[in-house]
């Protein structure tokens, strides 16, 4: 197990939680909070060397710093990224409209379904 | 490590004259790029003059104004058009649909009912062209699936008046009858190969026009390998590096690009990553989650990319977006995975990327960051992919900086 005491600025609870995700199932991460600091414990799942645990802890701390910096950037330019993401999610996913011919002419739909069934039957013959 | 360049003794920027931009030293030039990806090459002394504030009669004003680098001569219309063409809001829909017909490492294959649902789903995804990549080794069972998907998608393309393109990717060579069917339906063959040592004849199977090539060959063999691929009929290649051999790969890559430019007019062969990066459109980068690629598992699972499906095989199915038959395309926008992928794809929010000269051209697929570093966002300062993209863009921009190779590269891109 490895244990760190991290001061509250710059580290935030959110950055430590996000960086815990990057450790995945390689270790359990425990977080405790004091008035001006956090205590983080990394307990590896299974047996690993001390050097490997240090690398894992380094990854965790790198990720925490990257998260902090990323959050700063997002705060710096929230309008741009939020506007892009929101518009993209709203307008980027309109499904292709169904074929009007198939909607208005039931016979077209029936013919196409029959056509597809014939293809499926031919494909089954190829597989057999 | 990523490398951001510095210029010694850089003067402070003149606040009223210098527009927002990023810069990078490339050989004897300074590359200055605006947010929309418009760029110019300047000599270091010109760049210093620009930072200090240009005089009204400076001959550099026209060049820099056109690239959007002068605050007092900013062409808003041109900047808006450039951003609209390259920004995420211009995304036309996923361009490549990878259909994995058999499970990795097993003989379980997709059933015909699922194949039909996959094709139905693909046709609900908007986009100018439906591009299907079928991945499987050819067995009796998978051939039946390939046959059905090609015929069914071709018909759906006619019914919905949408062009359909097919690629079949596998190692096994098709029989004569199968090859005739694939040729008749204009199915491009794609293969994955290793380039090591000297080129060998017969390495590229007949009819293969696209390839993913893992490079282990030395740089002095690059031209010979490009000739070998081009003469065998390969028109499009993705040069990839095996892990931990990036330095040698980049030497090979630079030599290969030079050879491809030399061959123009005689034999046409293009490198896919270079075209994707220089286009400045993230959805043209090979393998980018959701934006350029969606992947379908043999059980009908929808994944954000082929790599996301590979990771799911290892028990990490964070990037599973839904299931054909029960998930509608419009539902994807509500998926937390899609939102996370999108957030991770916005380089404006990324440390290092936000101040990188190549921000307008580059993006790292979130699934790749997840696989390599355990985080969707990626830690780009130590990301191998980041270093690779920066080095490749250095190679490409070094050629764009020189007049003679710039013309050849622009023609090659078009």
């Amino acid at each position: 197990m490895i244990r760190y005491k991290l001061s509250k600025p710059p580290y935030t609870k959110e950055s430590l939680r996000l960086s815990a995700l990057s450790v995945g199932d390689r270790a359990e991460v425990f977080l405790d909070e004091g008035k001006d600091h956090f205590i983080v414990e990394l307990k590896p799942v299974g047996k690993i060397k001390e050097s490997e645990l240090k690398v894992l802890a380094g990854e965790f701390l790198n990720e925490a710093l990257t998260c902090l910096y990323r959050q700063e950037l997002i705060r710096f330019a929230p309008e741009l990224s939020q506007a892009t993401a929101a518009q993209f999610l709203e307008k980027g996913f309109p499904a292709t409209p169904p074929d009007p011919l198939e909607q208005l002419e039931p016979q077209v739909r029936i013919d196409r379904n029959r056509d597809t069934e014939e293809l499926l039957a031919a494909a089954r013959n190829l597989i057999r | 490590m990523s490398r951001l360049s510095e210029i010694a003794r850089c003067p402070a920027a003149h606040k009223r004259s210098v527009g927002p931009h990023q810069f990078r030293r490339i050989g004897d030039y300074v590359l200055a790029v605006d947010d929309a990806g418009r760029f110019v090459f300047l000599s270091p002394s010109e760049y210093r003059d620009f930072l200090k504030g240009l005089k009204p009669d400076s001959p550099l004003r026209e060049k820099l104004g056109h690239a959007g680098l002068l605050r007092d001569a900013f062409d808003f219309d041109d900047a808006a058009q450039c951003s609209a063409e390259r920004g995420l809001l211009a995304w036309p829909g996923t361009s490549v649909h990878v259909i994995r017909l058999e499970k990795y490492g097993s003989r379980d294959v997709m059933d015909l009912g699922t194949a039909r649902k996959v094709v139905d789903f693909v046709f609900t995804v908007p986009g100018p062209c439906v591009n299907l990549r079928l991945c499987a080794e050819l067995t009796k069972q998978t051939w039946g699936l390939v046959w059905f998907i090609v015929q069914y998608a071709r018909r759906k393309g006619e019914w919905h008046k949408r062009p359909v393109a097919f690629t079949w990717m596998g190692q096994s060579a098709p029989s004569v009858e199968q090859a005739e069917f694939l040729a008749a339906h204009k199915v491009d063959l794609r293969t994955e190969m290793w380039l090591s040592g000297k080129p060998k004849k017969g390495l590229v199977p007949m009819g293969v026009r696209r390839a993913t090539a893992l490079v282990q060959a030395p740089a002095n063999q690059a031209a010979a390998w490009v000739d070998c691929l081009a003469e065998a009929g390969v028109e499009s290649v993705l040069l990839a590096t095996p892990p931990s051999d990036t330095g040698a790969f980049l030497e090979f890559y630079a030599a290969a690009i030079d050879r491809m430019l030399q061959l123009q007019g005689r034999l046409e062969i293009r490198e896919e990553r270079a075209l994707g990066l220089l286009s400045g459109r993230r959805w043209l980068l090979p393998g980018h989650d959701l934006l350029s690629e969606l992947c379908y598992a043999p059980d009908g699972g929808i994944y954000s990319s082929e790599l996301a499906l590979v990771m799911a095989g290892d028990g990490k199915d964070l990037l599973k977006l839904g299931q054909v038959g029960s998930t509608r395309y419009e539902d994807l926008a509500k998926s937390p995975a899609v939102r996370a992928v999108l957030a991770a794809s916005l380089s404006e929010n990324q440390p290092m990327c936000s101040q990188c000269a190549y921000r307008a051209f580059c993006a790292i697929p979130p699934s790749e960051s997840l696989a390599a570093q355990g985080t969707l966002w990626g830690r780009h300062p130590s990301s191998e992919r980041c270093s690779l993209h920066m080095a490749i863009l250095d190679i490409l921009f070094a050629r764009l900086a020189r007049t003679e190779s710039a013309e050849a590269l622009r023609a090659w891109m078009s």
Side-chain angles (χ1 to χ4, degrees):
Chain A
M1 191 182 71
I2 201 161
R3 187 172 204 216
Y4 287 106
K5 186 177 176 182
L6 304 169
S7 59
K8 253 187 184 170
Y11 292 96
T12 61
K13 197 186 275 183
E14 199 183 6
S15 70
L16 295 173
R17 280 182 172 164
L18 278 169
S19 69
L21 292 175
S22 72
V23 176
D25 53 8
R26 292 175 290 169
E28 289 180 302
V29 182
F30 299 94
L31 180 66
D32 195 8
E33 187 177 3
K35 196 178 171 190
D36 58 355
H37 66 273
F38 293 103
I39 303 284
V40 177
E41 280 180 7
L42 267 84
K43 189 178 165 193
V45 174
K47 235 182 175 181
I48 63 170
K49 287 181 200 162
E50 199 178 328
S51 56
E52 288 171 339
L53 181 59
K54 276 189 179 165
V55 169
L56 192 63
E59 260 184 52
F60 174 84
L61 293 174
N62 275 346
E63 180 64 13
L65 287 174
T66 313
C67 283
L68 283 169
Y69 191 19
R70 194 184 301 133
Q71 284 160 11
E72 279 297 309
L73 283 175
I74 293 170
R75 266 195 285 276
F76 182 68
E79 293 84 4
L80 178 68
S81 50
Q82 281 170 15
T84 309
Q87 279 204 51
F88 178 78
L89 288 168
E90 191 189 338
K91 294 181 179 162
F93 290 86
T96 307
D99 182 11
L101 196 61
E102 212 171 90
Q103 298 288 304
L104 297 171
E105 292 282 352
Q107 191 57 43
V108 171
R109 198 167 56 243
I110 293 164
D111 289 348
R112 287 178 179 179
N113 274 338
R114 194 183 54 227
D115 209 11
T116 307
E117 289 303 329
E118 283 172 10
L119 277 180
L120 281 167
R124 276 189 209 104
N125 280 337
L126 277 175
I127 290 170
R128 266 192 214 120
Chain B
M1 285 290 283
S2 304
R3 292 138 298 159
L4 296 179
S5 64
E6 287 179 12
I7 296 177
R9 297 187 299 280
C10 226
H14 189 276
K15 286 180 184 167
R16 287 193 193 155
S17 165
V18 177
H21 72 280
Q22 309 294 341
F23 69 88
R24 184 165 176 80
R25 186 79 192 249
I26 298 195
D28 297 334
Y29 299 94
V30 177
L31 167 71
V33 191
D34 84 339
D35 281 352
R38 295 175 298 173
F39 61 89
V40 286
F41 292 102
L42 299 169
S43 70
S45 64
E46 285 175 333
Y47 186 67
R48 282 196 193 95
D49 291 345
F50 159 57
L51 287 183
K52 282 187 223 159
L54 293 176
K55 289 179 183 151
D57 58 346
S58 167
L60 278 177
R61 285 192 69 84
E62 193 185 338
K63 184 178 176 184
L64 292 167
H66 187 66
L69 300 177
L70 292 181
R71 198 179 279 271
D72 53 358
F74 195 79
D75 186 343
F76 283 94
D77 290 342
D78 191 51
Q81 190 185 342
C82 209
S83 298
E85 284 171 2
R86 293 167 162 222
L88 215 47
L89 297 179
W91 179 58
T94 307
S95 50
V96 178
H97 298 271
V98 180
I99 307 176
R100 185 83 216 167
L101 299 178
E102 57 187 352
K103 263 191 182 172
Y104 291 103
S106 102
R107 297 209 160 185
D108 293 347
V109 298
M110 186 179 271
D111 64 62
L112 280 167
T114 307
R116 181 182 182 175
K117 286 179 192 163
V118 168
V119 175
D120 288 339
F121 180 86
V122 165
F123 272 85
T124 65
V125 180
C129 175
V130 176
N131 201 329
L132 297 175
R133 186 181 296 172
L134 312 174
C135 299
E137 292 314 315
L138 282 183
T139 62
K140 201 174 173 186
Q141 279 186 312
T142 54
W143 175 247
L145 279 166
V146 170
W147 184 90
F148 170 74
I149 290 172
V150 169
Q151 297 269 24
Y152 184 45
R154 184 70 72 204
R155 273 173 219 210
K156 284 204 74 126
E158 285 165 16
W159 297 337
H160 295 266
K161 298 186 174 49
R162 291 179 73 184
V164 189
F166 301 98
T167 308
W168 171 69
M169 185 156 177
Q171 296 296 319
S172 43
S175 67
V176 176
E177 192 187 339
Q178 289 168 344
E180 279 173 4
F181 173 85
L182 296 173
H185 288 272
K186 295 185 180 152
V187 179
D188 279 344
L189 304 190
R190 187 178 184 101
T191 192
E192 194 173 283
M193 60 178 73
W194 285 86
L195 309 187
S196 58
K198 289 182 180 174
K200 301 160 199 81
K201 282 204 168 174
L203 180 81
V204 184
M206 273 266 279
V208 167
R209 290 171 60 201
R210 294 167 194 275
T212 300
L214 289 151
V215 176
Q216 277 194 325
N220 63 10
Q221 292 298 324
W225 269 112
V226 170
D227 290 356
C228 169
L229 293 172
E231 281 162 12
V234 175
E235 295 168 357
S236 179
V237 63
L238 176 68
L239 295 176
T241 169
S244 76
D245 207 7
T246 313
F249 168 75
L250 288 168
E251 278 182 45
F252 183 98
Y253 189 90
I257 293 290
D258 286 338
R259 185 61 182 165
M260 287 179 199
L261 296 180
Q262 279 173 5
L263 285 180
Q264 260 191 105
R266 281 183 288 149
L267 289 167
E268 295 300 326
I269 178 166
R270 288 179 169 78
E271 206 281 322
E272 294 168 9
R273 199 192 312 269
L275 295 182
L277 287 169
L278 286 175
S279 73
R281 290 157 174 84
R282 286 164 219 189
W283 55 91
L284 294 181
L285 283 168
H288 196 99
D289 298 74
L290 178 72
L291 299 182
S292 74
E293 190 170 293
L294 276 171
C295 183
Y296 307 89
D299 64 0
I302 306 167
Y303 290 83
S304 65
S305 67
E306 197 176 1
L307 183 58
L309 173 59
V310 174
M311 279 191 287
D314 299 333
K316 292 180 191 166
D317 64 351
L318 278 175
L319 296 177
K320 182 172 180 181
L321 311 180
Q323 187 75 24
V324 293
S326 59
T327 305
R328 295 176 309 159
Y329 173 70
E330 50 267 47
D331 296 335
L332 293 188
K334 295 172 201 147
S335 149
V338 165
R339 287 166 181 257
V341 162
L342 171 63
S345 301
L346 289 171
S347 49
E348 292 84 358
N349 296 343
Q350 291 276 32
M352 305 296 278
C353 296
S354 64
Q355 49 190 295
C356 177
Y358 296 139
R359 189 180 80 196
F361 302 94
C362 173
I364 297 180
S367 58
E368 201 156 307
S369 297
L370 186 64
Q373 299 185 308
T375 157
L376 263 188
W377 294 85
R379 288 186 298 280
H380 292 179
S382 57
S383 160
E384 278 188 17
R385 175 56 81 100
C386 170
S387 313
L388 183 71
H389 276 191
M390 284 185 103
I392 287 177
L393 281 161
D394 278 348
I395 290 168
L396 298 171
F397 274 94
R399 276 134 191 90
L400 281 171
R402 295 193 302 261
T403 316
E404 63 282 12
S405 51
E407 282 170 19
L409 189 53
R410 288 207 168 92
W412 186 68
M413 282 163 63
S414 62

